[in-house]
Each structure stands twice: as C-alpha cells, then as structure tokens.
Amino acid sequence: MASSSTKPISTPPFTTTTSSSSQPSTRSSLLSFLRNTTPTPISLKLSRSRNSFLNSHSSSSRSLSIKNATKTIESAETSRVSKVGGQDADSQETKPTILVSEKLGEAGLELLRSFGDVDCSYDLSQEDLCKKIASCDALIVRSGTKVTRQVFEAAKGKLKVVGRAGVGIDNVDLQAATEFGCLVVNAPTANTVAAAEHGIALLAAMARNVAQADASMKAGQWQRNKYVGVSLVGKTLAVMGFGKVGSEVARRAKGLGMQIIAHDPYAPADRARAIGVELVSFDQAISTADFISLHMPLTPSTEKVFNDDTFAKVKTGVRIINVARGGVIDEDALVRALDSGKVAQAALDVFTEEPPPKDSKLVQHERVTVTPHLGASTKEAQEGVAIEIAEAVVGALQGELAATAVNAPMVPAEVLSELAPYVVLAEKLGRLAVQLVAGGSGIKSAKVVYRSSRDPDDLDTRLLRAMITKGIIEPISDSFINLVNADFTAKQKGLRISEERVVVDTSPEFPIHSIQVQLSNVDSKFGSGVSEGGDISIEGRVKYGKPHLTRVGSFSVDVSLEGNLILCRQVDQPGMIGQVGNILGEQNVNVSFMSVGRTVQRRKAIMAIGVDEEPNQETLKKIGEVPAIEEFVFLKL
C-alpha cells in the first residue's frame, strides 16, 4: 500500500449531518459493524503488501475481506496446492485449529471436525490455556473458562474468534478481544426456551415448597402443615431484564394467571405491549412485585444490584428467582433479607462462585431452593447450543458477517445480503483514498458522504463506516485491523470520521446510490484527486453487483475496482491509450479495463487503467516519461 505517513491520525467522536435533495423512502435498514476474518484455507482475501514504488515499507501481513453468501462479492482465492506427483504433504493447506475447553454436544463437535482440527482439552488452568492458545485460531467455551486479557495477549494475534456456548459473555474480556481484533460470538437462541422453562420450574417449585417437602419425606417425615405454599394466580411477577429469556418467562407466567411487569432500560415498549407486559422503573418493579425473576446480564452496572439497599425497598414477603447470573445478587445481603423475613423465599440456579462453597449459608438456608446451573441443561438445548455456536465459529473463520457477534452490533441476514457489495466498495474506497496522501502530516479527519433515495433515519451506515475506517487505517498501521477493532483503533489514533447522508432521487430498490470519501488537510501525491474544496476526494458506486470507481477529484471515471489501478492525468489528445497500453504490454502486464474522464474536450483528462499484475518500477517510470502525461499514481487494491 502506498502511504507516506505512519503518524497517528487524530480525533475522537463520530459525527453525522444530513442533507436532502429529494423525497425520502421509508424502507428501513438495520446495519452494524462486524468483523471479517479468514484463516489460511479459506478463500476471499485481499493482499495487504505495500507497493515498493510508492512506499519503502513492505508488510507480509494480510487484510482479509468479507465472504458472504451473495454472488455479488468476488475475491481472489487462497492458493490451493494439489498433491500431485512428487509434492509432499507439507504443501497441503493447513486447517484451522479450534480449541474446545468445555464439554460441547457431539453434533457441534462433528460440525467443527468437518471444518478444522478440533482440540478438546477440558479443565485447563489459565496457565495451560495461555500456552495452548498461541496455536489456535478459535476457542469455544461455556461459562467456566475465563478468557482474560492474558489469554488474548498470549494468542499474539492468531486467535480470530471466541465462541461462547450460551448467552452470557461475562467470562470473556470483551474490551481485550476488541483491541486484539478477535470476534466474540455466542449462541443466544438455542437455550432460550430451556432457561425460561427452568425459571418457571423454580418459580412453581419455590411457591409450593417442592424441594423442601421432597427432602422431608425422604427423611421419613410427613409435614403437610409446614409446607403450605402460595398460589401464583393473581400475583405480580416482575421480570428484571426483558430480553429473550425474560420475555419467554413472561409469556409462560401469563399462562399461569400472573400479572406481569418488567424493567429493562433497553427493551422496546411495543414488544412488551405485544405480550401484555408493562415496562416500569426499577424501583416500581421491585416495590410492587410478589415475585421477582432475574434475567439481566452481569455488567459493572448490574453487579450486586440486589443488595441491602435494594432489599430494603422490596415488598415484604417477596420471592426471588435467579436463572441469570449469580453476581447480580449480593449473596450475603440476600441471607440477611431471608433471615429478617423481608424476602420470604429464593430459588437460585446461579451463584457468584460456582460451585459455591459447601458451607454456603445461602445454599443451606431452609427457605432457599437451589439447582446447579441447570438453566440450559436439557438434551434439546445442549445439542442446539452446540450446533449454534459451531455454526457461528465456522462462519466467522470463513470470514462471514456473523449475526451473533457480541463485540459488534448484530445484523439481520437479509441486511447483510443487501449491503454486501457496498461493504466491499467502502473498504476499497478507504484504501484508495489513503494511497493518494503525500507528506508526513498524517490523516486527522475523513468525511464520508452517502447518497441514497432512502430516508437518512432508515439508513444505518455503521457497517460501511467501519469498513472505510478499516481501509484508511490498515495501510498506515502496523496493527492488524478488522471490523471488530476498526472503530476502537480509529479513536485510539485520533481519526475523526464524520458522515453526511444526502437523499437523492434514485430507485429505493438499492440502499446506496454512491459513497464519497474525503480526506481533509492532507497533501496529495496525485493533484487531480483533489476536489475544488482542497480535499482528496474519490467516489464510487456498485454497478452490476461490483464496486466501481466513478469520480476522482473533479474528474468522472468508470472503472471496476478489481486488481490494481493506474491513474494518469494527461493532455487530452489521440493515441494516449495506445501509448500506455503498449508500455504495459511490452512488460507482459495485462490491462483489464481502461476509462478516460475529462473536463473539456482536448484539455485535461484522467485515464484510469486496471491491471492484473503489479508493474515494476521500470514500467512505471516509462509511463511517467510519456510527454503528454503530467502526473500518475499506481494504486494497489
């Protein structure tokens, strides 16, 4: 890649402005930014080697682009060496190594084995995990393995994806994963029903003292009067955390005749209303509920959120169920609330420490029903989770845009399919723009202009912005940049990305009409790439399913963004295409396309030439010596 500066790029937040030149379309798009990465045996990669003619640096690291199901994305395939004649086995491509550190269903393991080399090593210490991880492309865990910053550091960039076989990801250091460019995926749907069913089971068992009565009878006692329960009909259940599991619990509890309220600062009110649930404040929920069911993730803001102060506000005699995370309850405070009678009963499937100490006062409390983290423990859920996480990990290793990415917002499959060619266009425009920069001032700000017939509010461009950021940063950074850490790295280096969305009168069938990238306050090694406003400016569109460059500075061009590109500013006169074509032909450099854009006839023109091979310095020098050529630049895509 041609970049003349390795200095940090500046600025913090992303800004957005909007202008309109036509009436909007109402079609919505939910996008996000996700990681794209590919192990050695997978196709779809882009070379990241920098052009020695334009930059004295070179790099053997690779930038891997997105593999998607649509036929609109084309890319070069990884070299595959066939075992023919005298070739030895070492020439065969290497399968990715997938470490499974906790037990996984056989169906998931079979899927993983069909794709890579699977190492099932259970009960690893942190030290052993750090030793093993340096040779692994993927890691699959459940809730027992702690994937800490030390693990990512020990991986030294080789670890591409961590799969959490379940919903919660509090045992994975997401910040470290993002910084090291490692995608984290989970299995958010397969055990939803199982967890909800277990929550309802604990609710009913607690209300009717099932566990205590069972233990009493097995001890030879008959204590009907001692284990009188409470009815569920007409009681108020507060669901704390109205996500997938919480909403399923609410549906089932309504079938038991309970009144349901819920608290979740991120839950859409319309989704709650659709199943007859009222969203209320935290204090309102805990102070009015007869039963409280916890379904919130463990985060810094939810850790020990149920503490002495919280229990002081609950309705006296409340009953608590927890099938989420043990850490959301201060267990000592819960024991005090049980002893005082403020909390009548508790049913717990999860604990701060798992397994809990044998002498735990909470576990031994006579009014507490406990199970050993069985929320997802049904045969159906275990197989479903295994398959779901295996598919997510294999997809991520293949470079697919993962819909279950945790350290990047999720994207529906239909949106990914629609945006796929624009994702490729966005990254290539970023790579082209940065190669036009000259001098040592560094890139401090970039502006992206999206033209679309859709309403700006219906066009989420985070995925495209991340790809442009990746394209701009990667050629001038020693770090491996991907969609997971693109935004993080941009902020660290001070790159300011602003966005403008312009509504134009085109077909709403396509989400984006064009994308323009502008780099401000930088010098250009190709003067014709500078717009009237003084910024390096390039623009592109998706045509026939493929990315095309349509404007450089003030010049209109039309070239497919494949292979490599030579841009020449020349005097507009006959024979120029032939002269340059002959020079390239003499050096056996194949021309894939040519396009000429000009301002006024017989004045100035830009010739864009696509070439399959990278011309050597002598060839480029001959092109520059053509009298009518005033400037030129070689760009590597």
Side-chain angles (χ1 to χ4, degrees):
M1 278 294 177
S3 169
S4 56
S5 174
T6 57
K7 291 186 176 181
I9 23 191
S10 99
T11 236
F14 298 105
T15 59
T16 303
T17 59
T18 302
S19 60
S20 175
S21 60
S22 171
Q23 86 180 41
S25 161
T26 57
R27 185 177 180 182
S28 64
S29 294
L30 174 61
L31 305 179
S32 73
F33 89 137
L34 296 171
R35 179 193 190 217
N36 59 305
T37 183
T38 308
T40 302
I42 303 305
S43 61
L44 304 151
K45 69 174 185 176
L46 290 175
S47 170
R48 190 191 163 196
S49 59
R50 298 181 174 98
N51 173 30
S52 58
F53 178 73
L54 295 174
N55 194 318
S56 60
H57 295 82
S58 64
S59 173
S60 59
S61 56
R62 296 175 301 165
S63 164
L64 302 168
S65 68
I66 291 173
K67 176 181 180 184
N68 203 313
T70 62
K71 295 181 181 179
T72 56
I73 301 181
E74 294 184 359
S75 59
E77 287 199 354
T78 304
S79 299
R80 298 180 178 269
V81 182
S82 301
K83 189 174 183 181
V84 180
Q87 288 182 318
D88 57 39
D90 291 339
S91 66
Q92 300 298 301
E93 56 191 30
T94 305
K95 288 184 177 181
T97 298
I98 303 168
L99 174 61
V100 181
S101 67
E102 296 177 71
K103 290 184 179 180
L104 196 67
E106 189 58 34
L109 290 174
E110 287 180 8
L111 195 158
L112 293 171
R113 290 184 184 119
S114 69
F115 175 76
D117 294 325
V118 179
D119 177 1
C120 293
S121 297
Y122 306 144
D123 301 320
L124 293 172
S125 66
Q126 273 285 296
E127 183 180 358
D128 291 337
L129 177 59
C130 288
K131 288 179 180 178
K132 269 186 171 291
I133 206 67
S135 61
C136 298
D137 299 282
L139 169 64
I140 295 180
V141 303
R142 297 187 73 84
S143 59
T145 303
K146 304 299 181 184
V147 190
T148 62
R149 176 174 291 274
Q150 287 70 33
V151 174
F152 291 107
E153 289 174 347
K156 298 178 180 179
K158 182 172 176 59
L159 187 63
K160 301 174 179 68
V161 55
V162 171
R164 163 68 167 95
V167 180
I169 38 78
D170 45 276
N171 57 318
V172 181
D173 189 330
L174 288 182
Q175 178 68 23
T178 300
E179 290 179 29
F180 283 90
C182 182
L183 182 68
V184 179
V185 297
N186 67 350
T189 61
N191 62 7
T192 296
V193 170
E197 288 176 345
H198 195 61
I200 293 295
L202 287 178
L203 171 70
M206 175 179 60
R208 301 304 300 269
N209 298 301
V210 171
Q212 292 85 348
D214 174 74
S216 173
M217 283 198 66
K218 288 177 178 176
Q221 299 174 339
W222 183 267
Q223 298 176 297
R224 291 185 64 191
N225 293 333
K226 181 177 181 179
Y227 295 118
V228 174
V230 295
S231 179
L232 299 178
V233 173
K235 298 297 195 303
T236 299
L237 171 67
V239 177
M240 309 300 285
F242 201 66
K244 291 182 175 65
V245 177
S247 58
E248 289 300 321
V249 166
R251 287 188 177 94
R252 286 157 176 76
K254 283 185 69 67
L256 297 174
M258 302 187 79
Q259 302 296 318
I260 314 299
I261 58 177
H263 171 73
D264 190 324
Y266 306 107
D270 55 349
R271 182 161 63 86
R273 284 194 299 268
I275 57 177
V277 174
E278 180 187 4
L279 290 177
V280 298
S281 68
F282 183 89
D283 285 349
Q284 185 178 352
I286 63 173
S287 62
T288 58
D290 301 298
F291 293 80
I292 300 174
S293 189
L294 308 185
H295 304 284
M296 56 189 64
L298 180 60
T299 67
S301 63
T302 63
E303 185 174 8
K304 294 186 177 181
V305 67
F306 279 82
N307 50 39
D308 287 317
D309 291 340
T310 306
F311 291 130
K313 299 176 183 177
V314 301
K315 190 176 183 179
T316 300
V318 72
R319 290 169 169 83
I320 295 175
I321 307 101
N322 187 11
V323 294
R325 286 291 177 267
V328 301
I329 294 178
D330 182 332
E331 294 179 350
D332 292 336
L334 178 55
V335 170
R336 289 190 288 271
L338 286 162
D339 290 341
S340 69
K342 189 68 172 178
V343 175
Q345 290 178 288
L348 309 173
D349 184 48
V350 290
F351 306 89
T352 301
E353 180 185 346
E354 294 187 354
K358 292 182 180 180
D359 60 351
S360 167
K361 292 183 180 180
L362 185 62
V363 173
Q364 299 299 329
H365 204 287
E366 64 176 353
R367 287 187 280 120
V368 175
T369 302
V370 292
T371 53
H373 206 145
L374 299 179
S377 296
T378 65
K379 291 182 179 179
E380 296 82 358
Q382 291 296 299
E383 287 300 298
V385 166
I387 292 172
E388 185 175 10
I389 197 60
E391 289 177 341
V393 168
V394 169
L397 287 174
Q398 289 178 320
E400 294 175 357
L401 296 174
T404 60
V406 177
N407 53 346
M410 297 182 183
V411 181
E414 64 275 11
V415 176
L416 297 181
S417 177
E418 180 182 54
L419 263 292
Y422 302 93
V423 164
V424 177
L425 171 65
E427 181 180 1
K428 290 193 173 186
L429 288 176
R431 288 182 175 273
L432 285 179
V434 76
Q435 289 181 81
L436 294 176
V437 175
S441 60
I443 304 171
K444 295 180 173 61
S445 63
K447 180 180 179 181
V448 186
V449 180
Y450 307 99
R451 289 179 172 82
S452 172
S453 61
R454 299 186 184 178
D455 189 283
D457 292 336
D458 294 332
L459 186 63
D460 189 332
T461 57
R462 287 174 295 171
L463 174 59
L464 300 176
R465 184 188 73 205
M467 287 303 290
I468 290 169
T469 305
K470 170 181 167 66
I472 292 173
I473 292 177
E474 194 171 56
I476 56 176
S477 171
D478 292 332
S479 304
F480 177 79
I481 307 297
N482 56 31
L483 290 184
V484 173
N485 62 4
D487 276 357
F488 173 83
T489 307
K491 292 177 181 178
Q492 288 292 102
K493 293 182 177 296
L495 171 63
R496 180 183 181 84
I497 301 285
S498 63
E499 295 177 293
E500 180 180 353
R501 307 174 196 186
V502 179
V503 179
V504 294
D505 188 13
T506 59
S507 172
E509 177 184 356
F510 304 105
I512 303 286
H513 175 261
S514 67
I515 301 175
Q516 183 182 40
V517 177
Q518 302 172 9
L519 301 182
S520 304
N521 302 314
V522 290
D523 296 326
S524 175
K525 61 180 60 177
F526 186 65
S528 300
V530 177
S531 67
E532 293 181 358
D535 302 327
I536 290 177
S537 176
I538 58 173
E539 186 173 326
R541 294 176 57 188
V542 171
K543 300 176 66 175
Y544 317 113
K546 295 183 180 180
H548 281 64
L549 180 66
T550 56
R551 179 171 288 274
V552 177
S554 301
F555 294 85
S556 295
V557 295
D558 186 8
V559 293
S560 178
L561 291 177
E562 300 174 277
N564 302 309
L565 187 65
I566 299 174
L567 295 177
C568 302
R569 186 183 71 195
Q570 65 198 47
V571 177
D572 186 26
Q573 65 184 38
M576 291 302 301
I577 293 177
Q579 288 186 61
V580 176
N582 285 336
I583 293 172
L584 294 170
E586 289 172 358
Q587 300 299 320
N588 201 32
V589 176
N590 189 54
V591 175
S592 57
F593 53 81
M594 276 193 176
S595 173
V596 176
R598 60 188 182 185
T599 51
V600 180
Q601 186 175 352
R602 295 299 180 103
R603 295 288 297 276
K604 303 295 181 183
I606 280 186
M607 178 165 53
I609 308 164
V611 291
D612 294 334
E613 295 80 22
E614 181 175 342
N616 58 34
Q617 294 188 30
E618 184 62 29
T619 303
L620 292 171
K621 181 180 179 182
K622 288 182 179 180
I623 292 174
E625 290 173 348
V626 174
I629 291 181
E630 298 176 335
E631 63 171 349
F632 79 100
V633 65
F634 173 76
L635 306 172
K636 191 173 183 63
L637 295 175

